[in-house]
Amino acid sequence: MIFVSGSIAYDTIISTVGTFDSSRRGDDNHYSYSLYAPRVIRQAGGTGHNIAYSLGLLWYKNKTILTGSVGSDFIIDERLEQYIDYTHVLKDEQTLTAGAYITNDDENNQIIAFHPWAMASGLHTIPHQKFDYAIVTPN
């Protein structure tokens, strides 16, 4: 068994048309963008979650225990349950799951905004069963 502690978040990936620079006007140092976003994807992410999933895909299928905090909006994807043990993930019904909002332009420039929401609560559990390895990731 491998125990993984770390962030669990939703990644919202927004692809825009054009470049950030083409949205600027003149020599103004102040930014106020309005971007057209024809493609938006929302998927489970976070450092701890991504590592737990990767370990499940590689060789520790059904042997990777994840711990961390999520919000009331978190839904466990049934496809991921075959790779990750979510029994130690705590749900804070008073807030939302942490979120990264990643905006890309046509030249692969990125602007990223992050809000910790449930992750800021610091709620964690440690499994009482024996595990071979523990991985502590950024939270």
Side-chain angles (χ1 to χ4, degrees):
M1 293 278 199
I2 293 183
F3 167 67
V4 179
S5 172
S7 65
I8 304 168
Y10 277 121
D11 295 337
T12 302
I13 302 166
I14 304 161
S15 297
T16 65
V17 175
T19 65
F20 297 139
D21 285 340
S22 66
S23 299
R24 272 185 76 192
R25 296 200 170 126
D27 293 330
D28 191 0
N29 288 330
H30 299 286
Y31 296 95
S32 179
Y33 291 119
S34 178
L35 304 167
Y36 174 62
R39 186 168 164 232
V40 177
I41 299 170
R42 187 175 189 230
Q43 60 193 30
T47 307
H49 194 261
N50 291 344
I51 289 172
Y53 176 66
S54 296
L55 288 170
L57 286 175
L58 290 171
W59 69 88
Y60 272 92
K61 189 173 182 175
N62 291 325
K63 296 181 181 178
T64 303
I65 300 167
L66 177 63
T67 186
S69 301
V70 296
S72 60
D73 61 332
F74 191 78
I75 299 170
I76 296 172
D77 185 330
E78 292 176 5
R79 295 171 296 164
L80 299 180
E81 281 188 300
Q82 63 182 315
Y83 303 107
I84 301 170
D85 179 344
Y86 287 95
T87 57
H88 293 279
V89 172
L90 301 176
K91 187 175 265 195
D92 182 347
E93 295 290 346
Q94 305 302 314
T95 190
L96 298 173
T97 302
Y101 304 88
I102 305 157
T103 305
N104 302 308
D105 72 4
D106 286 341
E107 292 183 355
N108 293 320
N109 297 305
Q110 288 187 336
I111 297 173
I112 301 172
F114 179 80
H115 194 287
W117 275 305
M119 200 174 86
S121 70
L123 297 174
H124 282 83
T125 61
I126 297 176
H128 292 289
Q129 67 243 56
K130 184 178 181 199
F131 47 90
D132 300 309
Y133 300 98
I135 300 173
V136 179
T137 69
N139 196 356

